[in-house]
Amino acid sequence: MPKDIEVLSSVKDESLITIRREQIIKGAVKLFKEKGFHKATTREIAKAAGFSIGTLYEYIRTKEDVLYLVCDRIYNEVTIKLAPYQQQEGNLDTLRQAITDYYYLIHRMHAEFTIMYQETKSLPKNTRAYILDKESEMVKMFAEILRSCVKCGELALDERYVQVAANQIVVQGQAWAFRNWAYKHDYKIDGYIEAQTELFLHGLKGFA
């Protein structure tokens, strides 16, 4: 599990920090989507969040801190959604439901996922490595579900291909965010989930 990176704050009230950073994230996501990370300024982020630049700097130190918080929030939300599937014996029904939950989360947070995909390269090296490690943790969650499906006999998949298959689930889900322009005329989210899940499972059946 990647060790969390601390974003420094001069405020001691943890509940207030949580509230204010949610406001910052919400405002920043909209701003980054409209202008891009590099063109957005901290003053504009503060305005989008609904408070002064001085108040903003009580909760973050740099614009990169804001991008980190956006990326970290994605991982936390994915962990909440997928954690229950790590605590049960998986089968194909479990896999289908995990994929559905993950893809619906991407649908709900499409702007955040797009920003993460496009702007992670803008983070400092250590923070970028942390975010990529967390991306790997998402893949591991699906890899464990796939292994459970193999263990219970509902899926034939050689261990050599588990990581590739898990990555495919994660990437095809994220494609709904950053390639939505290519899908939106033909699919709503329900149809996209069904198509991707069936194509994925059809390709795995008997593949060992």
Side-chain angles (χ1 to χ4, degrees):
M1 182 75 67
K3 184 178 179 181
D4 287 348
I5 293 176
E6 183 181 7
V7 176
L8 297 177
S9 171
S10 59
V11 176
K12 303 305 180 183
D13 186 335
E14 291 295 332
S15 61
L16 185 57
I17 291 174
T18 299
I19 292 169
R20 290 289 183 256
R21 284 184 174 171
E22 280 298 313
Q23 290 176 279
I24 292 169
I25 290 169
K26 185 176 179 180
V29 165
K30 184 178 180 181
L31 190 62
F32 292 164
K33 186 177 180 181
E34 292 173 352
K35 300 189 65 172
F37 173 76
H38 290 289
K39 290 184 178 180
T41 66
T42 50
R43 189 170 297 279
E44 288 172 325
I45 293 171
K47 183 178 179 181
F51 37 73
S52 69
I53 185 68
T55 300
L56 179 75
Y57 282 123
E58 291 179 358
Y59 298 95
I60 56 101
R61 292 292 180 269
T62 66
K63 187 169 68 169
E64 287 74 18
D65 281 349
V66 180
L67 181 55
Y68 161 78
L69 290 173
V70 172
C71 295
D72 197 53
R73 183 169 181 265
I74 290 172
Y75 175 76
N76 291 336
E77 291 288 330
V78 171
T79 299
I80 291 169
K81 281 292 183 185
L82 296 184
Y85 299 109
Q86 310 300 301
Q87 301 166 8
Q88 56 183 283
E89 290 297 323
N91 52 34
L92 287 183
D93 286 340
T94 303
L95 178 60
R96 288 176 185 275
Q97 191 58 53
I99 291 172
T100 297
D101 286 351
Y102 174 61
Y103 283 24
Y104 270 125
L105 178 63
I106 292 171
H107 180 63
R108 179 168 62 84
M109 299 180 68
H110 65 91
E112 289 93 330
F113 273 92
T114 301
I115 290 165
M116 181 181 73
Y117 182 80
Q118 294 176 338
E119 304 292 357
T120 297
K121 62 183 180 297
S122 301
L123 290 166
K125 185 177 180 179
N126 67 317
T127 309
R128 185 169 65 249
Y130 167 80
I131 294 299
L132 294 177
D133 282 346
K134 286 204 165 186
E135 174 91 358
S136 296
E137 289 294 319
M138 296 184 206
V139 174
K140 287 179 183 178
M141 292 179 191
F142 279 107
E144 288 307 309
I145 299 172
L146 288 168
R147 290 188 179 100
S148 291
C149 291
V150 173
K151 185 178 179 181
C152 76
E154 291 195 7
L155 188 65
L157 181 63
D158 192 288
E159 177 62 28
R160 292 174 296 171
Y161 307 126
V162 169
Q163 282 299 113
V164 173
N167 271 280
Q168 184 175 336
I169 293 172
V170 171
V171 172
Q172 290 304 324
Q174 292 177 4
W176 179 252
F178 61 78
R179 284 188 61 82
N180 183 258
W181 59 270
Y183 296 119
K184 65 182 181 180
H185 297 299
D186 300 304
Y187 296 98
K188 294 187 181 300
I189 183 60
D190 292 332
Y192 182 80
I193 292 171
E194 180 183 2
Q196 287 291 1
T197 303
E198 293 310 311
L199 284 170
F200 175 75
L201 291 178
H202 179 76
L204 289 184
K205 288 176 181 176
F207 183 64

